[in-house]
Amino acid sequence: MRVEKTAAIDASREEIWERIADPCAYPRFVTGVTRLERKSEQPEQGLGARYTVRFRVGSADVGGLVEVVEFDEPADLAWT
């Protein structure tokens, strides 16, 4: 399943990167995150970091184990 959402934010790349670089902070500003926990000790964040994440989509919680596969400051962050 793929879930996407787009939003325009009036802020610089650097300001946004400060918010998104640590996924453990996402529940503070991403609507629908019901659970997010770090699963790996090393690395703490960045390339190779793993998290358990759950999102509320409609009436269901979806998600699973994710790993950061792109971490190019201050432009790209991707999970798989």
Side-chain angles (χ1 to χ4, degrees):
M1 175 187 285
R2 176 178 222 135
V3 177
E4 287 187 36
K5 182 168 180 162
T6 302
I9 301 170
D10 186 20
S12 71
R13 258 185 188 187
E14 293 74 20
E15 290 172 304
I16 299 213
W17 188 261
E18 286 179 33
R19 299 272 179 153
I20 68 164
D22 180 12
C24 286
Y26 289 9
R28 287 184 243 154
F29 62 89
V30 177
T31 302
V33 174
T34 59
R35 184 171 142 207
L36 201 149
E37 299 174 349
R38 183 175 286 115
K39 293 310 273 185
S40 58
E41 295 298 320
Q42 295 295 328
E44 192 168 297
Q45 73 179 39
L47 195 61
R50 292 180 176 199
Y51 304 87
T52 298
V53 63
R54 296 280 187 272
F55 292 93
R56 174 68 56 163
V57 178
S59 62
D61 277 355
V62 297
L65 182 65
V66 298
E67 180 176 340
V68 176
V69 294
E70 290 182 38
F71 194 83
D72 299 318
E73 188 175 342
D76 295 309
L77 186 144
W79 300 350
T80 188

Coordinates of all heavy atoms in Angstrom, one line a residue:
M1 N 0.9 -1.2 0.0 CA 0.0 0.0 0.0 C 0.9 1.2 0.0 O 1.9 1.3 0.7 CB -0.9 0.0 1.2 CG -1.7 1.3 1.4 SD -2.6 1.4 2.9 CE -3.9 0.3 2.6
R2 N 0.5 2.2 -0.8 CA 1.2 3.5 -0.8 C 0.3 4.6 -0.4 O -0.8 4.7 -0.9 CB 1.8 3.7 -2.2 CG 2.5 5.1 -2.3 CD 3.1 5.3 -3.7 NE 4.3 5.9 -3.4 CZ 5.4 5.5 -4.0 NH1 5.5 4.6 -4.9 NH2 6.6 6.2 -3.7
V3 N 0.7 5.4 0.5 CA -0.1 6.6 0.9 C 0.8 7.8 0.7 O 1.9 7.9 1.1 CB -0.5 6.5 2.4 CG1 -1.2 7.7 2.9 CG2 -1.3 5.2 2.7
E4 N 0.2 8.8 0.0 CA 0.9 10.0 -0.2 C 0.1 11.2 0.1 O -1.1 11.2 0.1 CB 1.3 10.2 -1.7 CG 2.3 9.2 -2.2 CD 2.7 9.5 -3.6 OE1 2.8 10.7 -4.0 OE2 3.0 8.6 -4.3
K5 N 0.8 12.3 0.5 CA 0.1 13.6 0.8 C 1.1 14.7 0.5 O 2.3 14.6 0.8 CB -0.3 13.7 2.3 CG -1.1 15.0 2.5 CD -1.8 15.0 3.8 CE -2.5 16.3 4.0 NZ -3.5 16.3 5.0
T6 N 0.6 15.7 -0.1 CA 1.5 16.9 -0.5 C 1.0 18.1 0.3 O -0.2 18.3 0.4 CB 1.4 17.1 -2.0 OG1 1.8 15.9 -2.7 CG2 2.3 18.3 -2.4
A7 N 2.0 18.9 0.7 CA 1.6 20.2 1.4 C 2.7 21.2 1.0 O 3.9 20.9 1.0 CB 1.6 20.0 2.9
A8 N 2.3 22.4 0.8 CA 3.2 23.5 0.6 C 3.5 24.2 1.9 O 2.6 24.5 2.7 CB 2.6 24.5 -0.4
I9 N 4.8 24.4 2.2 CA 5.2 25.0 3.5 C 6.1 26.2 3.2 O 7.0 26.1 2.5 CB 6.0 23.9 4.4 CG1 5.1 22.7 4.6 CG2 6.5 24.6 5.7 CD1 5.8 21.6 5.2
D10 N 5.7 27.3 3.8 CA 6.5 28.5 3.6 C 7.7 28.6 4.6 O 7.6 29.2 5.7 CB 5.6 29.7 3.8 CG 6.2 31.1 3.5 OD1 7.3 31.0 2.8 OD2 5.8 32.1 4.0
A11 N 8.7 27.9 4.3 CA 9.9 27.8 5.1 C 11.1 27.4 4.3 O 11.0 26.9 3.2 CB 9.7 26.8 6.3
S12 N 12.3 27.7 4.8 CA 13.5 27.4 4.0 C 13.8 25.9 4.1 O 13.3 25.2 5.0 CB 14.7 28.1 4.6 OG 15.1 27.6 5.8
R13 N 14.6 25.3 3.2 CA 15.0 23.9 3.3 C 15.6 23.6 4.6 O 15.3 22.5 5.2 CB 16.1 23.6 2.2 CG 15.6 23.0 1.0 CD 16.8 22.7 0.2 NE 16.3 22.2 -1.1 CZ 17.0 21.8 -2.0 NH1 18.3 21.7 -1.9 NH2 16.5 21.4 -3.1
E14 N 16.5 24.4 5.1 CA 17.2 24.2 6.4 C 16.2 24.1 7.5 O 16.4 23.3 8.4 CB 18.3 25.2 6.6 CG 19.4 25.2 5.6 CD 19.1 25.7 4.2 OE1 18.1 26.5 4.0 OE2 19.8 25.3 3.3
E15 N 15.2 25.0 7.6 CA 14.2 25.0 8.6 C 13.4 23.7 8.6 O 13.1 23.1 9.6 CB 13.3 26.2 8.5 CG 13.9 27.5 8.8 CD 13.0 28.6 8.5 OE1 12.5 28.8 7.4 OE2 12.7 29.4 9.4
I16 N 13.0 23.3 7.4 CA 12.3 22.0 7.3 C 13.1 20.8 7.6 O 12.7 19.9 8.3 CB 11.7 21.9 5.8 CG1 10.8 23.1 5.6 CG2 11.1 20.5 5.6 CD1 9.7 22.9 4.8
W17 N 14.4 20.8 7.2 CA 15.3 19.7 7.5 C 15.4 19.5 9.0 O 15.4 18.4 9.5 CB 16.6 19.9 6.9 CG 17.5 18.7 7.0 CD1 18.5 18.4 7.9 CD2 17.4 17.5 6.3 NE1 19.0 17.2 7.8 CE2 18.3 16.6 6.8 CE3 16.6 17.0 5.2 CZ2 18.5 15.3 6.3 CZ3 16.8 15.8 4.7 CH2 17.7 14.9 5.2
E18 N 15.5 20.6 9.8 CA 15.6 20.5 11.2 C 14.4 19.7 11.8 O 14.6 19.0 12.8 CB 15.6 21.9 11.9 CG 16.9 22.6 11.7 CD 16.9 24.0 12.3 OE1 16.2 24.2 13.3 OE2 17.6 24.9 11.8
R19 N 13.3 19.8 11.2 CA 12.0 19.2 11.7 C 12.0 17.7 11.3 O 11.5 16.8 12.0 CB 10.8 19.8 11.2 CG 10.6 21.3 11.6 CD 9.9 21.3 12.9 NE 9.8 22.7 13.3 CZ 8.9 23.1 14.1 NH1 8.0 22.3 14.5 NH2 8.9 24.4 14.4
I20 N 12.4 17.4 10.0 CA 12.2 16.0 9.5 C 13.4 15.1 9.7 O 13.2 13.9 9.5 CB 11.8 16.1 8.0 CG1 12.9 16.5 7.1 CG2 10.5 16.9 7.8 CD1 12.7 16.2 5.7
A21 N 14.6 15.6 10.0 CA 15.7 14.8 10.1 C 15.6 13.7 11.2 O 16.2 12.6 11.1 CB 17.0 15.6 10.4
D22 N 14.8 13.9 12.2 CA 14.6 12.9 13.3 C 13.1 12.4 13.2 O 12.2 13.1 13.7 CB 14.9 13.5 14.7 CG 14.7 12.5 15.8 OD1 14.5 11.3 15.5 OD2 14.7 12.9 16.9
P23 N 12.9 11.3 12.6 CA 11.5 10.8 12.6 C 10.8 10.6 13.9 O 9.6 10.7 14.0 CB 11.6 9.4 11.9 CG 12.9 9.6 11.0 CD 13.8 10.4 11.9
C24 N 11.5 10.5 15.0 CA 10.9 10.3 16.3 C 10.1 11.6 16.7 O 9.2 11.5 17.5 CB 11.9 10.0 17.4 SG 12.5 8.3 17.2
A25 N 10.3 12.7 16.0 CA 9.6 13.9 16.3 C 8.3 14.1 15.5 O 7.5 14.9 15.7 CB 10.5 15.2 16.0
Y26 N 8.1 13.2 14.5 CA 7.0 13.3 13.6 C 5.6 13.3 14.3 O 4.7 14.0 13.8 CB 7.0 12.1 12.6 CG 8.1 12.2 11.5 CD1 9.1 13.2 11.6 CD2 8.1 11.4 10.4 CE1 10.1 13.3 10.6 CE2 9.1 11.5 9.5 CZ 10.1 12.4 9.6 OH 11.0 12.5 8.6
P27 N 5.4 12.5 15.4 CA 4.1 12.6 16.0 C 3.7 14.0 16.4 O 2.5 14.3 16.6 CB 4.2 11.6 17.2 CG 5.2 10.6 16.7 CD 6.2 11.5 16.0
R28 N 4.6 14.9 16.6 CA 4.3 16.3 17.1 C 3.7 17.1 16.0 O 3.0 18.1 16.2 CB 5.6 17.0 17.6 CG 6.0 16.4 18.9 CD 7.2 17.2 19.4 NE 8.3 16.3 19.5 CZ 9.6 16.6 19.4 NH1 9.9 17.8 19.3 NH2 10.5 15.6 19.5
F29 N 4.0 16.7 14.7 CA 3.5 17.6 13.6 C 2.9 16.8 12.4 O 2.4 17.5 11.5 CB 4.6 18.6 13.1 CG 5.8 17.9 12.5 CD1 5.8 17.6 11.2 CD2 6.8 17.6 13.3 CE1 6.9 17.0 10.7 CE2 8.0 17.0 12.8 CZ 8.0 16.7 11.5
V30 N 2.9 15.5 12.4 CA 2.3 14.8 11.3 C 1.0 14.1 11.8 O 1.0 13.3 12.7 CB 3.2 13.6 10.8 CG1 2.6 12.8 9.7 CG2 4.6 14.2 10.3
T31 N -0.1 14.6 11.2 CA -1.4 14.1 11.6 C -1.5 12.6 11.2 O -1.1 12.2 10.1 CB -2.5 14.9 10.8 OG1 -2.4 16.2 11.2 CG2 -3.9 14.4 11.2
G32 N -2.1 11.8 12.1 CA -2.3 10.4 11.8 C -1.2 9.4 12.3 O -1.4 8.2 12.2
V33 N -0.1 9.9 12.7 CA 0.9 9.0 13.3 C 0.4 8.6 14.7 O 0.2 9.4 15.5 CB 2.3 9.7 13.4 CG1 3.3 8.8 14.2 CG2 2.9 10.1 12.1
T34 N 0.2 7.3 14.8 CA -0.3 6.7 16.1 C 0.8 6.1 16.9 O 0.7 5.9 18.1 CB -1.4 5.7 15.8 OG1 -0.9 4.6 15.0 CG2 -2.6 6.4 15.2
R35 N 1.9 5.7 16.2 CA 3.1 5.1 16.9 C 4.3 5.2 16.1 O 4.3 5.1 14.8 CB 2.8 3.6 17.1 CG 3.8 2.9 17.9 CD 3.4 1.5 18.2 NE 4.5 0.6 18.1 CZ 4.4 -0.7 17.8 NH1 3.3 -1.3 17.6 NH2 5.5 -1.4 17.8
L36 N 5.4 5.6 16.7 CA 6.7 5.7 16.0 C 7.8 5.5 17.1 O 7.9 6.2 18.0 CB 6.9 7.1 15.4 CG 7.9 7.1 14.3 CD1 7.6 8.1 13.2 CD2 9.3 7.3 14.8
E37 N 8.6 4.4 16.9 CA 9.6 4.0 17.8 C 10.9 3.7 17.1 O 10.8 3.0 16.0 CB 9.2 2.8 18.6 CG 8.0 3.0 19.5 CD 7.5 1.6 20.1 OE1 8.1 0.6 19.7 OE2 6.6 1.7 21.0
R38 N 12.0 4.1 17.6 CA 13.3 3.7 17.0 C 13.5 2.2 17.3 O 13.3 1.8 18.4 CB 14.4 4.5 17.7 CG 15.8 4.3 17.2 CD 16.8 5.2 17.7 NE 16.6 6.6 17.2 CZ 16.3 7.6 17.8 NH1 16.0 7.6 19.1 NH2 16.1 8.8 17.2
K39 N 14.0 1.5 16.3 CA 14.2 0.0 16.5 C 15.7 -0.3 16.5 O 16.0 -1.4 17.0 CB 13.5 -0.8 15.4 CG 12.0 -0.7 15.4 CD 11.4 -1.0 16.8 CE 11.2 -2.5 17.0 NZ 10.6 -2.8 18.3
S40 N 16.5 0.5 16.0 CA 17.9 0.2 15.9 C 18.7 1.2 16.8 O 18.4 2.4 16.8 CB 18.5 0.2 14.5 OG 18.2 1.5 13.9
E41 N 19.7 0.7 17.4 CA 20.5 1.6 18.3 C 21.5 2.4 17.4 O 21.8 3.5 17.6 CB 21.3 0.8 19.3 CG 20.4 0.2 20.3 CD 19.6 1.2 21.1 OE1 20.1 2.2 21.5 OE2 18.4 0.9 21.4
Q42 N 22.1 1.8 16.4 CA 23.1 2.4 15.5 C 22.6 2.3 14.1 O 22.3 1.2 13.7 CB 24.4 1.8 15.7 CG 25.0 1.9 17.1 CD 25.3 3.4 17.4 OE1 25.7 4.2 16.5 NE2 25.2 3.8 18.6
P43 N 22.6 3.3 13.3 CA 22.7 4.7 13.7 C 21.4 5.2 14.4 O 20.4 4.6 14.1 CB 22.9 5.4 12.4 CG 22.2 4.6 11.4 CD 22.3 3.2 11.9
E44 N 21.6 6.2 15.2 CA 20.5 6.8 15.9 C 19.5 7.5 15.0 O 18.3 7.4 15.1 CB 21.0 7.8 17.0 CG 19.9 8.2 18.0 CD 20.5 8.9 19.1 OE1 21.3 8.3 19.9 OE2 20.1 10.1 19.3
Q45 N 20.0 8.1 14.0 CA 19.2 8.7 12.9 C 20.0 8.8 11.6 O 21.2 8.5 11.7 CB 18.6 10.1 13.3 CG 19.6 11.2 13.3 CD 19.0 12.5 13.6 OE1 18.1 12.6 14.4 NE2 19.4 13.6 13.0
G46 N 19.4 9.0 10.5 CA 20.1 9.0 9.2 C 20.1 7.7 8.5 O 19.3 6.8 8.8
L47 N 21.0 7.6 7.5 CA 21.0 6.4 6.7 C 21.1 5.1 7.5 O 22.0 5.0 8.3 CB 22.2 6.5 5.7 CG 22.2 5.6 4.5 CD1 21.0 5.8 3.6 CD2 23.5 5.8 3.7
G48 N 20.2 4.2 7.2 CA 20.3 2.9 7.9 C 19.5 2.8 9.2 O 19.3 1.7 9.7
A49 N 19.0 4.0 9.7 CA 18.2 4.0 10.9 C 16.9 3.3 10.7 O 16.3 3.4 9.6 CB 18.0 5.4 11.4
R50 N 16.4 2.5 11.7 CA 15.1 1.8 11.5 C 14.1 2.2 12.6 O 14.5 2.4 13.7 CB 15.4 0.3 11.6 CG 16.2 -0.3 10.5 CD 16.4 -1.7 10.6 NE 17.0 -2.2 9.4 CZ 17.1 -3.5 9.1 NH1 16.5 -4.4 9.8 NH2 17.7 -3.8 8.0
Y51 N 12.8 2.2 12.2 CA 11.8 2.6 13.0 C 10.5 1.7 12.8 O 10.3 1.3 11.7 CB 11.4 4.1 12.7 CG 12.5 5.1 12.8 CD1 13.3 5.3 11.7 CD2 12.7 5.7 14.0 CE1 14.4 6.2 11.8 CE2 13.8 6.6 14.1 CZ 14.6 6.9 13.0 OH 15.6 7.8 13.1
T52 N 9.7 1.6 13.9 CA 8.4 1.0 13.7 C 7.5 2.2 13.7 O 7.5 3.1 14.5 CB 8.0 0.1 14.9 OG1 9.0 -1.0 15.0 CG2 6.6 -0.4 14.8
V53 N 6.6 2.2 12.6 CA 5.7 3.3 12.4 C 4.3 2.8 12.1 O 4.1 1.9 11.4 CB 6.2 4.3 11.4 CG1 6.3 3.7 10.0 CG2 5.4 5.6 11.3
R54 N 3.3 3.5 12.7 CA 1.9 3.2 12.4 C 1.2 4.6 12.1 O 1.4 5.6 12.8 CB 1.2 2.6 13.6 CG 1.7 1.2 13.9 CD 1.2 0.2 13.0 NE 1.5 -1.2 13.4 CZ 2.6 -1.8 13.1 NH1 3.5 -1.3 12.3 NH2 2.8 -3.0 13.5
F55 N 0.4 4.6 11.0 CA -0.4 5.7 10.6 C -1.9 5.3 10.6 O -2.2 4.2 10.3 CB 0.0 6.2 9.2 CG 1.3 6.8 9.0 CD1 2.4 5.9 8.7 CD2 1.5 8.1 9.3 CE1 3.6 6.5 8.5 CE2 2.8 8.6 9.1 CZ 3.9 7.8 8.7
R56 N -2.7 6.3 11.1 CA -4.2 6.1 11.0 C -4.6 6.5 9.6 O -4.4 7.7 9.2 CB -4.9 6.9 12.1 CG -6.4 6.9 12.0 CD -7.0 5.6 12.4 NE -6.6 5.1 13.7 CZ -7.3 4.2 14.3 NH1 -8.3 3.7 13.8 NH2 -6.8 3.8 15.5
V57 N -5.1 5.6 8.8 CA -5.6 5.9 7.5 C -7.1 5.4 7.5 O -7.3 4.2 7.5 CB -4.8 5.1 6.4 CG1 -5.4 5.4 5.0 CG2 -3.4 5.6 6.4
G58 N -8.0 6.3 7.5 CA -9.4 6.0 7.6 C -9.6 5.4 9.0 O -9.3 6.0 10.0
S59 N -10.1 4.2 9.1 CA -10.4 3.5 10.3 C -9.3 2.5 10.7 O -9.4 1.8 11.7 CB -11.7 2.8 10.3 OG -11.8 1.8 9.4
A60 N -8.3 2.4 9.9 CA -7.2 1.4 10.1 C -5.9 2.0 10.4 O -5.5 3.1 10.0 CB -7.1 0.5 8.8
D61 N -5.1 1.3 11.2 CA -3.7 1.6 11.5 C -2.9 0.8 10.5 O -3.0 -0.4 10.5 CB -3.3 1.3 12.9 CG -3.7 2.4 13.9 OD1 -4.1 3.5 13.4 OD2 -3.4 2.2 15.1
V62 N -2.0 1.5 9.7 CA -1.2 0.8 8.7 C 0.3 1.2 9.0 O 0.5 2.3 9.5 CB -1.6 1.1 7.3 CG1 -2.9 0.6 7.0 CG2 -1.5 2.6 7.0
G63 N 1.2 0.3 8.6 CA 2.6 0.7 8.8 C 3.4 -0.6 9.0 O 3.0 -1.7 8.7
G64 N 4.6 -0.4 9.6 CA 5.5 -1.5 9.9 C 6.9 -1.0 10.1 O 7.1 0.1 10.5
L65 N 7.8 -1.9 9.9 CA 9.2 -1.5 10.1 C 9.7 -0.8 8.9 O 9.5 -1.2 7.7 CB 10.1 -2.8 10.2 CG 11.6 -2.6 10.5 CD1 11.8 -1.9 11.8 CD2 12.3 -3.9 10.5
V66 N 10.3 0.4 9.1 CA 10.9 1.2 8.0 C 12.3 1.4 8.2 O 12.8 1.5 9.4 CB 10.1 2.5 7.8 CG1 8.7 2.3 7.4 CG2 10.2 3.4 9.0
E67 N 13.1 1.6 7.1 CA 14.5 1.9 7.2 C 14.8 3.2 6.3 O 14.3 3.3 5.2 CB 15.3 0.8 6.7 CG 16.8 1.1 6.8 CD 17.7 -0.1 6.4 OE1 17.2 -1.3 6.4 OE2 18.9 0.1 6.0
V68 N 15.6 4.1 6.9 CA 16.0 5.3 6.1 C 17.0 4.8 5.0 O 18.0 4.3 5.4 CB 16.5 6.4 7.0 CG1 17.0 7.6 6.2 CG2 15.5 6.8 8.1
V69 N 16.6 5.1 3.8 CA 17.5 4.6 2.6 C 18.1 5.8 1.9 O 19.0 5.6 1.1 CB 16.7 3.7 1.7 CG1 16.3 2.4 2.4 CG2 15.5 4.4 1.1
E70 N 17.6 7.0 2.1 CA 18.2 8.2 1.6 C 18.2 9.3 2.7 O 17.2 9.5 3.4 CB 17.4 8.8 0.4 CG 17.5 8.0 -0.8 CD 16.7 8.6 -2.0 OE1 16.8 9.8 -2.1 OE2 16.1 7.8 -2.7
F71 N 19.4 9.9 2.9 CA 19.5 10.9 3.9 C 20.5 11.9 3.4 O 21.7 11.9 3.8 CB 19.9 10.3 5.2 CG 19.8 11.2 6.4 CD1 18.6 11.3 7.1 CD2 20.9 11.9 6.9 CE1 18.4 12.1 8.2 CE2 20.8 12.7 8.0 CZ 19.5 12.8 8.7
D72 N 20.1 12.8 2.5 CA 21.0 13.8 1.9 C 20.6 15.2 2.4 O 19.8 15.8 1.8 CB 20.9 13.7 0.4 CG 21.3 12.4 -0.2 OD1 22.3 11.8 0.3 OD2 20.6 11.9 -1.1
E73 N 21.3 15.6 3.5 CA 21.0 16.9 4.1 C 21.3 18.0 3.1 O 22.3 18.0 2.5 CB 21.8 17.0 5.4 CG 21.5 18.2 6.2 CD 22.3 18.2 7.5 OE1 22.9 17.2 7.9 OE2 22.4 19.3 8.1
P74 N 20.5 19.0 3.0 CA 19.2 19.3 3.6 C 18.1 19.0 2.6 O 17.1 19.8 2.6 CB 19.2 20.7 4.0 CG 20.0 21.4 2.9 CD 21.0 20.3 2.5
A75 N 18.2 18.0 1.7 CA 17.2 17.9 0.6 C 16.4 16.7 0.6 O 15.2 16.8 0.4 CB 18.0 18.1 -0.7
D76 N 16.9 15.5 0.8 CA 16.2 14.3 0.6 C 16.2 13.3 1.8 O 17.3 13.1 2.3 CB 16.7 13.5 -0.6 CG 16.5 14.3 -1.9 OD1 15.4 14.7 -2.2 OD2 17.5 14.4 -2.7
L77 N 15.1 12.8 2.1 CA 15.0 11.8 3.1 C 13.9 10.8 2.6 O 12.8 11.2 2.3 CB 14.5 12.4 4.5 CG 14.5 11.4 5.6 CD1 14.9 12.1 6.9 CD2 13.2 10.7 5.8
A78 N 14.3 9.5 2.6 CA 13.3 8.5 2.1 C 13.4 7.3 2.9 O 14.5 6.9 3.4 CB 13.7 8.1 0.6
W79 N 12.3 6.6 3.1 CA 12.1 5.4 3.9 C 11.8 4.3 2.9 O 11.1 4.5 1.9 CB 11.0 5.4 4.9 CG 11.0 6.4 5.9 CD1 12.0 7.3 6.3 CD2 10.0 6.7 6.8 NE1 11.6 8.1 7.3 CE2 10.4 7.7 7.7 CE3 8.7 6.2 7.0 CZ2 9.6 8.2 8.7 CZ3 7.9 6.7 8.0 CH2 8.3 7.7 8.8
T80 N 12.1 3.0 3.3 CA 11.5 1.9 2.6 C 11.0 0.9 3.7 O 11.5 0.9 4.8 CB 12.5 1.2 1.7 OG1 11.9 0.2 0.9 CG2 13.7 0.6 2.4

